[in-house]
């Protein structure tokens, strides 16, 4: 990819499209380029020859505006020599770019797809830029034949001024041509990535923003549905392929699923990678690129909010927990139903009790008040008990298994094998002792930690047992019953969306209980 193409791609990433038609137009260009291998090869050859036209055009504009260009004695021969080189490179580079665009027009790619992505002035014909540019090519060849090393004379400075003035009369059209070339460069790179990928790549199906405003309606809503999701960075050095996973959040009708994924599993089990892969797919899809999936259905995401990793800012005096809370506050204040929120181990930067309480409150607010697409990874297993039967939450974990090293090996000594595959339900434990051994903590220390853990569990056995039974009747159920009593007392006057939401959750609980009994 050229330097101009890289700058354009960075701009696209910072400002992803929220227009389904434009995204599909980019995808159509990528798809069409993928089907023309010869055109792809010619594009690559042409783009390798191109100078940085965007910078050259900017330097040419600044030269025109500079009064120092009037005569050689004022600016010096070295500066004038540089400006001749800029002029020559710009003219020759524009010729390469023009030929590239006219080739695409000739092959019909421009007319069918690319014209919807970029606007281009008239290239050929009596009024086209092709004829206009030919005059400057002739001038460069005659007046500055060796423009890259031309020793400019005082008499030639006026010629250069006139030529650059005439060329810049169509500066707007040249900018449009350069932008089109940059777009082609980026879209060609998308096509190359899709073709050369070691894993499955697919064209995403993009749906418009959800129009639903009633949180009680499960018939309409934003959706993320990915089959065979994988992260490109997980390709191992030994050539092994990553493990694909399926994600389904939101939707409508028979395609409905809960909008929240409560994800558990041990450290190094792949939780953060799954979150990052989901985020990457959304970004690539809204750029107009093929995505690392077998199937991808996505309704537009207005904003992606992430709370990943742990870091502090020593110079500003901000602790890890303060940064965590600041980023979470931004999520709570700005997330909408059409947002994608990724939260990884929220609350780990403070005490266990406070961290759990914050994680619980944030999770519940996002589920019941915002109802956005949410991936929430946590080690707080009590959250799985509280939200185990919530109608808007699906629980999954990263699968593992313990492999005995010998017949006499204890549980701590067993080898933890990561499967990196999503499995239904909550993870039974965090396997902290096995991970500690893998990290190199001495075995006596790990065994002492395991014994201490057993002692702590014995001390709080009754509380621990009751917490394990919270899934049968959690604090959420208590609050729903209280809300139901309040609704019954207040009558129809206060029957708002929150009341509807409570009744929906209660109805779901009763339906689930009835099914389990029968």
């Amino acid at each position: 990819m050229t330097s101009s193409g890289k700058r354009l791609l960075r701009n696209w990433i910072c400002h992803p499209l929220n227009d389904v038609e434009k995204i599909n137009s980019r995808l159509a260009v990528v798809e069409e380029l993928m089907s023309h291998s010869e055109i792809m090869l010619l594009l690559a050859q042409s783009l390798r020859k191109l100078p940085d036209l965007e910078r050259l055009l900017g330097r040419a504009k600044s030269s025109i505006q500079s009064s120092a260009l009037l005569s050689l004695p004022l600016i010096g021969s070295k500066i004038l020599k540089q400006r001749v080189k800029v002029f020559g490179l710009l003219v020759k580079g524009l010729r390469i770019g023009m030929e590239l665009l006219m080739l695409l027009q000739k092959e019909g790619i421009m007319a069918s797809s690319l014209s919807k992505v970029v606007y281009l002035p008239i290239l050929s014909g009596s009024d086209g830029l092709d004829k206009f540019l030919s005059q400057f090519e002739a001038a460069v060849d005659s007046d500055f034949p060796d423009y890259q090393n031309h020793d400019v004379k005082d008499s030639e400075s006026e010629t250069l001024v006139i030529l650059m003035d005439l060329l810049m009369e169509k500066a707007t059209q040249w900018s449009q041509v350069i932008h089109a070339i940059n777009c082609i460069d980026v879209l060609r790179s998308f096509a190359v990535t899709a073709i050369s990928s070691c894993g499955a790549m697919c064209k995403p199906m993009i749906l418009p923003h959800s129009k639903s405003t009633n949180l009680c309606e499960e018939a309409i809503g934003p959706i993320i549905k990915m089959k065979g999701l994988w992260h490109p960075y997980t390709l191992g050095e030994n050539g092994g392929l990553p493990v694909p996973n399926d994600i389904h959040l939101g939707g409508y009708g028979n395609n409905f699923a809960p909008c929240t994924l409560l994800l558990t599993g041990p450290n190094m089990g792949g939780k953060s990678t799954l979150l990052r892969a989901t985020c990457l797919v959304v970004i690539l899809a809204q750029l107009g690129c093929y995505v690392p999936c077998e199937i991808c259905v996505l309704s537009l995401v207005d904003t992606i909010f992430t709370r990943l990793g742990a870091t502090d800012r020593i110079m500003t005096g901000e602790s890890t927990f303060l940064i965590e809370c600041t980023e979470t506050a931004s999520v709570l204040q700005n997330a909408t139903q059409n947002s994608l929120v990724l939260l990884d181990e929220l609350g780990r930067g403070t005490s266990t009790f406070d961290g759990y309480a914050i994680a619980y409150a944030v999770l519940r607010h996002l589920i019941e008040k915002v109802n956005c697409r949410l991936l929430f990874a946590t080690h707080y297993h009590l959250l799985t008990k509280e939200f185990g039967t919530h109608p808007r939450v699906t629980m999954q974990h990263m699968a593992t298994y313990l492999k005995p090293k010998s017949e006499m090996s204890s549980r701590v000594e067993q080898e933890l094998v990561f499967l990196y595959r999503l499995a239904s339900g909550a993870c039974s434990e965090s396997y902290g002792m096995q991970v500690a051994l893998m990290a190199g903590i001495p075995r006596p220390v790990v065994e002492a930690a395991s014994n201490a853990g057993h002692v702590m569990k014995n001390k709080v056995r009754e509380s621990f047992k009751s917490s394990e039974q919270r899934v049968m009747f959690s604090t959420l159920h208590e609050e729903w019953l209280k809300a139901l009593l309040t609704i019954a007392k207040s009558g129809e006057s206060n029957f708002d969306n929150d009341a509807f939401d409570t009744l929906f959750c209660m109805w779901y609980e009763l339906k689930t209980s009835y099914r389990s009994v029968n």
Side-chain angles (χ1 to χ4, degrees):
M1 191 183 296
T2 63
S3 299
S4 298
K6 291 177 182 177
R7 287 195 295 270
L8 179 64
L9 178 58
R10 284 194 291 269
N11 183 57
W12 281 8
I13 292 173
C14 294
H15 304 91
L17 288 174
N18 280 319
D19 187 317
V20 175
E21 185 177 356
K22 290 182 179 179
I23 294 173
N24 286 331
S25 296
R26 287 183 185 175
L27 287 168
V29 174
V30 173
E31 187 174 29
E32 197 159 359
L33 288 172
M34 289 169 62
S35 63
H36 292 78
S37 56
E38 294 181 359
I39 298 296
M40 290 268 286
L41 181 60
L42 291 173
L43 286 177
Q45 292 172 351
S46 298
L47 290 169
R48 277 196 291 266
K49 299 175 184 176
L50 276 178
D52 193 338
L53 293 176
E54 197 170 11
R55 290 191 183 278
L56 290 173
L57 185 65
R59 291 178 65 180
K61 287 180 180 178
S62 63
S63 297
I64 292 296
Q65 296 168 358
S66 173
S67 59
L69 189 64
L70 294 177
S71 64
L72 181 62
L74 292 176
I75 64 173
S77 60
K78 182 178 287 188
I79 295 177
L80 190 56
K81 184 177 180 179
Q82 290 176 352
R83 290 178 177 174
V84 169
K85 183 178 179 179
V86 167
F87 177 72
L89 285 173
L90 179 60
V91 171
K92 297 298 183 180
L94 286 173
R95 169 51 62 194
I96 297 173
M98 290 279 291
E99 290 178 351
L100 186 152
L101 295 176
M102 289 190 289
L103 171 66
L104 293 177
Q105 281 186 330
K106 181 181 177 181
E107 296 294 330
I109 296 177
M110 179 71 75
S112 59
S113 306
L114 196 58
S115 58
K116 298 178 182 179
V117 176
V118 294
Y119 172 78
L120 271 182
I122 300 172
L123 298 180
S124 57
S126 58
D127 297 329
L129 289 175
D130 179 46
K131 184 177 180 180
F132 182 74
L133 185 61
S134 298
Q135 301 171 7
F136 292 93
E137 285 185 284
V140 170
D141 292 338
S142 61
D143 296 331
F144 311 105
D146 186 17
Y147 63 88
Q148 296 199 26
N149 296 293
H150 186 76
D151 292 325
V152 186
K153 300 175 183 178
D154 192 20
S155 59
E156 294 176 320
S157 61
E158 186 176 351
T159 302
L160 180 62
V161 171
I162 294 172
L163 289 173
M164 294 191 74
D165 271 332
L166 291 173
L167 184 68
M168 289 302 105
E169 286 180 1
K170 295 187 180 293
T172 302
Q173 289 93 322
W174 298 132
S175 295
Q176 292 168 347
V177 167
I178 294 170
H179 178 68
I181 295 169
N182 293 340
C183 288
I184 293 168
D185 187 13
V186 175
L187 296 175
R188 186 200 67 87
S189 298
F190 288 172
V192 170
T193 300
I195 292 172
S196 60
S197 173
C198 296
M201 300 287 287
C202 76
K203 179 181 178 180
M205 180 185 296
I206 309 296
L207 305 176
H209 281 303
S210 167
K211 301 298 183 182
S212 174
T213 56
N214 190 345
L215 296 181
C216 299
E217 295 180 7
E218 62 177 16
I220 301 175
I223 183 173
I224 289 179
K225 188 175 183 180
M226 303 172 187
K227 181 180 179 182
L229 168 67
W230 59 283
H231 198 301
Y233 284 6
T234 56
L235 293 171
E237 294 180 358
N238 58 359
L241 294 177
V243 178
N245 284 292
D246 299 342
I247 297 286
H248 186 185
L249 301 177
Y252 48 87
N254 295 329
N255 204 27
F256 175 78
C259 286
T260 298
L261 170 60
L262 186 56
L263 182 62
T264 54
N267 286 304
M268 301 193 301
K271 300 190 300 298
S272 298
T273 300
L274 183 72
L275 267 60
R276 287 179 169 87
T278 305
C279 181
L280 179 63
V281 166
V282 172
I283 293 172
L284 290 176
Q286 293 193 211
L287 287 178
C289 181
Y290 275 51
V291 295
C293 292
E294 295 175 12
I295 298 174
C296 177
V297 180
L298 170 71
S299 56
L300 285 174
V301 173
D302 57 9
T303 311
I304 299 175
F305 295 94
T306 63
R307 165 84 283 282
L308 305 171
T311 184
D312 57 11
R313 298 172 187 160
I314 298 176
M315 300 303 294
T316 57
E318 296 177 338
S319 68
T320 301
F321 183 61
L322 178 62
I323 294 172
E324 189 176 359
C325 288
T326 302
E327 293 177 353
T328 304
S330 176
V331 175
L332 297 176
Q333 293 166 8
N334 300 299
T336 69
Q337 186 185 18
N338 290 308
S339 300
L340 172 64
V341 178
L342 309 172
L343 299 178
D344 190 9
E345 297 187 32
L346 180 64
R348 62 184 166 184
T350 186
S351 69
T352 302
F353 180 81
D354 288 349
Y356 167 78
I358 291 172
Y360 168 87
V362 169
L363 178 58
R364 186 172 180 188
H365 178 86
L366 292 173
I367 292 171
E368 298 185 351
K369 301 300 181 182
V370 182
N371 197 31
C372 59
R373 287 159 288 184
L374 169 63
L375 280 78
F376 195 101
T378 185
H379 281 290
Y380 292 128
H381 289 275
L382 193 56
L383 287 176
T384 64
K385 312 304 175 184
E386 287 288 342
F387 294 91
T389 58
H390 198 289
R392 296 209 185 99
V393 178
T394 181
M395 282 196 301
Q396 291 182 288
H397 69 277
M398 304 307 295
T400 58
Y401 78 92
L402 290 174
K403 180 181 178 181
K405 293 183 178 180
S406 66
E407 294 182 1
M408 302 298 293
S409 60
S410 66
R411 183 174 177 83
V412 173
E413 294 174 329
Q414 291 177 345
E415 181 183 356
L416 182 62
V417 180
F418 301 107
L419 301 179
Y420 305 113
R421 185 176 294 279
L422 273 175
S424 60
C427 185
S428 58
E429 56 180 297
S430 293
Y431 301 103
M433 302 304 167
Q434 288 79 10
V435 174
L437 274 177
M438 293 171 62
I441 294 180
R443 187 177 303 278
V445 176
V446 175
E447 290 176 351
S450 179
N451 294 332
H454 287 303
V455 171
M456 292 174 66
K457 282 186 179 181
N458 289 331
K459 286 184 178 180
V460 294
R461 181 174 297 275
E462 294 303 320
S463 298
F464 185 75
K465 284 184 177 180
S466 65
S467 70
E468 289 295 303
Q469 297 169 355
R470 293 299 288 176
V471 69
M472 303 301 297
F473 194 81
S474 68
T475 54
L476 288 178
H477 298 99
E478 296 171 7
E479 295 193 22
W480 290 343
L481 287 174
K482 291 178 182 178
L484 187 61
L485 292 173
T486 303
I487 293 170
K489 293 177 181 178
S490 61
E492 297 183 359
S493 58
N494 294 322
F495 212 66
D496 54 11
N497 281 346
D498 287 340
F500 273 115
D501 198 52
T502 299
L503 290 176
F504 168 69
C505 293
M506 292 290 294
W507 168 81
Y508 184 86
E509 281 295 305
L510 292 172
K511 183 176 72 170
T512 305
S513 300
Y514 178 77
R515 286 177 178 173
S516 62
V517 169
N518 291 322

